[in-house]
Amino acid sequence: MTGMFWLSVVLRTALIAACGAGVWNAIFRRTDDMMNTGGIWYYTIQSNLWVLLMTAVYLALRILAQFTGAFPAIRFLALARFAVLVGITITFLVFWILLAPKMDKAYLLSPNNFLVHTAVPLLYIADFFLFDRGALIDSVSVLWCLAPPLFYFILTFLHAAIQPGIAFEGGGRYPYFFMDKDRFGWFGFRNGLGVFWWIFIFLGLTLGLGYFYRFMMNVI
């Protein structure tokens, strides 16, 4: 078995362990003797779960390929893996650029923060470009990178509508301040930028990053 095979196994095993530990702590840690089950509604945790799923699938396929002699080329999986790459990078960028300045120092220095916002994104980016940068992603296929955030936004707004009594940090119904339509409204500039514009910016950043990654895949 080649060195690259063992590198992929070690890297993906480490990635699965980091995802598992980070997600478990975020969802099942106790706060005032209660489980923090609201953690599942954060984009960070959902993107980490996507990474966990894709990495487990690709680790299994990599091991299978060692015995069959061929890595199965499944178009849907290649697109999903690329979309998750963009999604987890957004987790890294949005947290450290937009959210970290508002966080307390204790959380920023915590192991859980390091796992879900830094270690997992960087390991997944390294894994993708080491082993999957040759995937065929055309300019139209890049649009699939919008699927994870669109799914997340729709699911989160539905959750807030169905369970209006839930409260996140700060007392709002939404996990992130830029999704708080109760405070900012959809399209206006009341108390700040409307939620629609934040989502537009978020999706624009996602799409731009997708095309940047496609460019990098062609030049590296």
Side-chain angles (χ1 to χ4, degrees), residues 189-217:
F189 300 92
R190 187 179 77 242
N191 301 321
L193 202 60
V195 170
F196 172 83
W197 306 114
W198 278 113
I199 293 176
F200 183 81
I201 292 170
F202 192 98
L203 294 178
L205 176 62
T206 299
L207 194 58
L209 183 61
Y211 281 107
F212 171 75
Y213 273 147
R214 178 177 180 268
F215 170 78
M216 294 300 294
M217 290 165 65

Side-chain angles (χ1 to χ4, degrees), residues 13-220:
T13 301
L15 188 47
I16 290 171
C19 282
V23 169
W24 179 271
N25 185 65
I27 296 177
F28 296 108
R29 72 176 184 271
R30 289 185 173 274
T31 303
D32 298 329
D33 295 325
M34 296 181 65
M35 291 298 183
N36 185 35
T37 53
I40 191 66
W41 294 103
Y42 286 90
Y43 185 84
T44 293
I45 302 307
Q46 294 200 21
S47 61
N48 271 254
L49 286 171
W50 302 335
V51 166
L52 180 61
L53 176 61
M54 292 307 304
T55 303
V57 168
Y58 270 74
L59 175 58
L61 291 176
R62 182 76 174 183
I63 294 173
L64 181 64
Q66 286 299 119
F67 297 97
T68 62
F71 191 92
I74 304 172
R75 180 65 173 163
F76 170 77
L77 283 179
L79 294 176
R81 183 155 166 75
F82 178 78
V84 170
L85 168 71
V86 177
I88 197 64
T89 305
I90 290 293
T91 290
F92 175 80
L93 294 176
V94 169
F95 178 80
W96 286 110
I97 294 173
L98 195 61
L99 301 176
K102 302 176 182 292
M103 299 286 184
D104 61 84
K105 186 177 180 180
Y107 177 71
L108 292 176
L109 297 176
S110 68
N112 185 65
N113 172 54
F114 173 74
L115 288 173
V116 299
H117 290 121
T118 305
V120 168
L122 294 182
L123 284 172
Y124 191 81
I125 293 169
D127 180 40
F128 184 92
F129 281 97
L130 278 171
F131 304 109
D132 295 294
R133 65 176 184 270
L136 297 177
I137 305 294
D138 57 44
S139 57
V140 176
S141 297
V142 173
L143 296 175
W144 281 102
C145 71
L146 297 176
L150 284 173
F151 167 80
Y152 173 76
F153 286 131
I154 293 171
L155 188 66
T156 303
F157 285 122
L158 284 175
H159 174 255
I162 294 171
Q163 292 189 316
I166 193 170
F168 293 92
E169 291 183 22
R173 291 191 295 154
Y174 304 93
Y176 298 106
F177 75 89
F178 52 83
M179 297 179 67
D180 194 344
K181 69 180 184 66
D182 300 332
R183 178 181 177 188
F184 300 112
W186 279 110
F187 299 99
F189 300 92
R190 187 179 77 242
N191 301 321
L193 202 60
V195 170
F196 172 83
W197 306 114
W198 278 113
I199 293 176
F200 183 81
I201 292 170
F202 192 98
L203 294 178
L205 176 62
T206 299
L207 194 58
L209 183 61
Y211 281 107
F212 171 75
Y213 273 147
R214 178 177 180 268
F215 170 78
M216 294 300 294
M217 290 165 65
N218 291 328
V219 299
I220 293 179

